[in-house]
Amino acid sequence: MSEAVKQSGGGTVEYIQHHLTNLCAGDCDPVTHQATSFWAWHLDTLFFSVALAVLIIAFSIRLGRNLSADAPGPLQNFVESILEFVAGQVKDTFPGHNPLIAPLALTIFVWVWLMNFMDLIPVDLLPLLAGFVGIHYLKAVPTTDLNTTFAMSFTVFAMIIYYNIKVKGPVGYLKMFLFHPFGKFLVPVNVVMSLIEEIAKPLSLGLRLFGNLFAGELVFLLIALIGGTMAVGWAAAFWLPLQVILDLGWLIFHLLVITLQAFIFMVLTIVYLGMAHTSDH
Amino acid sequence: MAARTLYFAVNFSGVSGMTKPGRVAPLLIGAGTMLTSMVVAGFLLGYVVDTWLGSRPVFMLICGGLGLIGGFMKVHKLLSRFG
């Protein structure tokens, strides 16, 4: 293997690793920049997720001040269509009445979608801009960080437990573990099976979102590497149209993926909370 | 009706005849994750119990197996809505 190929291979791995490393603060390894204990902060994840949340709040306040019942503008119409879509989903999938569910579902859908949308910003743009101000590591998509997806799924899980106990009562909730799914003759198996089922809820919520977005980000990085081979020699510019076509194709497909993942996270949250609200589990 | 269909689609205690595929369709995308997360959750639970009792890998295998069975049951229940 020639030295140039070795270098390009090393550069490729380095490029991907660099783009998948968070800006870590606190208890972090000085070489790998990975968290070494619980007390490590992924500043980029925190910054972008909070910034997007602030954006949603600011946008909502501004829209709320300019609401018009007689002549709604295009923006109001757009937001109303999203509201109606989410309200329809809640109406279809949520048994009973809880005024918290629809706003929660809407917040999850919009917030997760916006965090996913960060994936569609060119992979090198934000790290490059951050590099100008002395920030050498930046992972712009909060949902490609397990901490974000698990933070959300554990919050939903806490709500599931809260509503289970509130609606069914502590005894009713306990009965669910004892007699479900195989009836009263297999209580030990039922307990283990129900426990597994409950643990699987936050796991599947968090891992599904993380897995899809992380894989999507990785594909964007691999496509970006086609252009990166030009560093080896300008002859590689021959492949530039391929990168543009692949990037565009994956971007259009990924637009569907990010919407679908936000939608699934929202629907499953409603369904799980709906299950917590029914007493005939 | 639709709410109950979705509710039963992701639950064990389904009632036959309550089928409305359009409503359950989005959940099919999560069928694979549903299966794997049940297995992973089983192994996790087994790992915790084994660490507590010092009996590794007995409960990891038992709970992992139960998670696999439970995962298959859930996915089967979900897919049978389309059968």
Side-chain angles (χ1 to χ4, degrees):
Chain A
M1 194 184 281
S2 72
E3 197 56 36
V5 175
K6 266 186 200 169
Q7 277 178 0
S8 71
T12 305
V13 173
E14 205 173 61
Y15 173 82
I16 292 177
Q17 276 178 347
H18 181 266
H19 276 70
L20 295 178
T21 304
N22 283 101
L23 178 64
C24 191
D27 286 348
C28 309
D29 190 304
V31 180
T32 61
H33 296 274
Q34 302 293 329
T36 51
S37 81
F38 182 78
W39 297 109
W41 304 82
H42 284 175
L43 295 180
D44 43 5
T45 299
L46 285 168
F47 173 77
F48 284 111
S49 52
V50 171
L52 290 170
V54 170
L55 185 76
I56 297 172
I57 294 168
F59 178 80
S60 306
I61 291 172
R62 199 171 158 216
L63 191 76
R65 282 183 185 150
N66 300 320
L67 281 181
S68 166
D70 302 322
L75 202 63
Q76 188 181 332
N77 277 330
F78 174 67
V79 173
E80 275 180 10
S81 67
I82 298 175
L83 270 171
E84 278 169 16
F85 168 71
V86 174
Q89 286 297 324
V90 174
K91 202 178 162 190
D92 281 345
T93 51
F94 189 77
H97 177 74
N98 187 339
L100 187 76
I101 302 300
L104 175 78
L106 181 72
T107 308
I108 286 176
F109 181 67
V110 177
W111 197 30
V112 171
W113 191 87
L114 278 177
M115 286 196 284
N116 292 350
F117 184 81
M118 296 296 289
D119 215 3
L120 303 186
I121 296 172
V123 283
D124 281 320
L125 182 64
L126 292 176
L128 186 75
L129 293 176
F132 289 142
V133 289
I135 297 168
H136 298 296
Y137 288 93
L138 190 83
K139 201 168 151 192
V141 193
T143 39
T144 55
D145 188 349
L146 260 181
N147 297 297
T148 313
T149 56
F150 271 129
M152 287 193 297
S153 68
F154 283 141
T155 307
V156 171
F157 188 52
M159 289 181 76
I160 292 171
I161 295 172
Y162 170 75
Y163 281 115
N164 260 315
I165 294 172
K166 192 183 173 192
V167 174
K168 297 179 179 118
V171 178
Y173 190 42
L174 198 67
K175 270 186 188 171
M176 191 188 93
F177 280 91
L178 294 177
F179 306 123
H180 166 83
F182 296 120
K184 59 184 176 182
F185 298 110
L186 281 169
V187 170
V189 181
N190 288 342
V191 170
V192 178
M193 204 74 132
S194 300
L195 263 177
I196 293 172
E197 203 191 336
E198 289 300 304
I199 297 168
K201 283 176 188 172
L203 264 184
S204 64
L205 267 183
L207 286 179
R208 181 186 297 117
L209 184 61
F210 167 75
N212 278 282
L213 268 293
F214 188 84
E217 175 84 341
L218 202 58
V219 173
F220 273 125
L221 288 172
L222 291 173
I223 294 171
L225 276 170
I226 297 172
T229 53
M230 282 189 290
V232 181
W234 272 101
F238 173 74
W239 294 109
L240 195 61
L242 179 71
Q243 180 185 350
V244 173
I245 292 167
L246 283 177
D247 229 348
L248 183 69
W250 183 243
L251 190 138
I252 292 167
F253 180 68
H254 207 58
L255 200 58
L256 176 75
V257 172
I258 63 167
T259 311
L260 204 61
Q261 289 308 318
F263 173 71
I264 289 175
F265 200 105
M266 178 195 77
V267 167
L268 283 179
T269 301
I270 303 168
V271 169
Y272 289 151
L273 287 173
M275 283 160 73
H277 277 75
T278 46
S279 51
D280 55 342
H281 191 96
Chain B
M1 182 68 175
R4 291 185 67 82
T5 310
L6 256 180
Y7 163 62
F8 284 115
V10 291
N11 204 2
F12 285 120
S13 49
V15 176
S16 59
M18 299 179 71
T19 308
K20 199 171 181 182
R23 295 283 180 212
V24 196
L27 292 176
L28 283 177
I29 298 157
T33 327
M34 197 184 276
L35 178 63
T36 45
S37 60
M38 284 287 281
V39 179
V40 172
F43 275 118
L44 267 180
L45 185 67
Y47 179 81
V48 171
V49 176
D50 273 335
T51 309
W52 180 39
L53 298 175
S55 56
R56 200 172 300 159
V58 178
F59 285 98
M60 263 176 87
L61 291 173
I62 293 172
C63 294
L66 281 173
L68 185 69
I69 295 167
F72 271 121
M73 283 174 70
K74 284 188 89 163
V75 173
H76 178 259
K77 185 67 74 183
L78 182 64
L79 295 182
S80 60
R81 304 275 141 197
F82 291 82

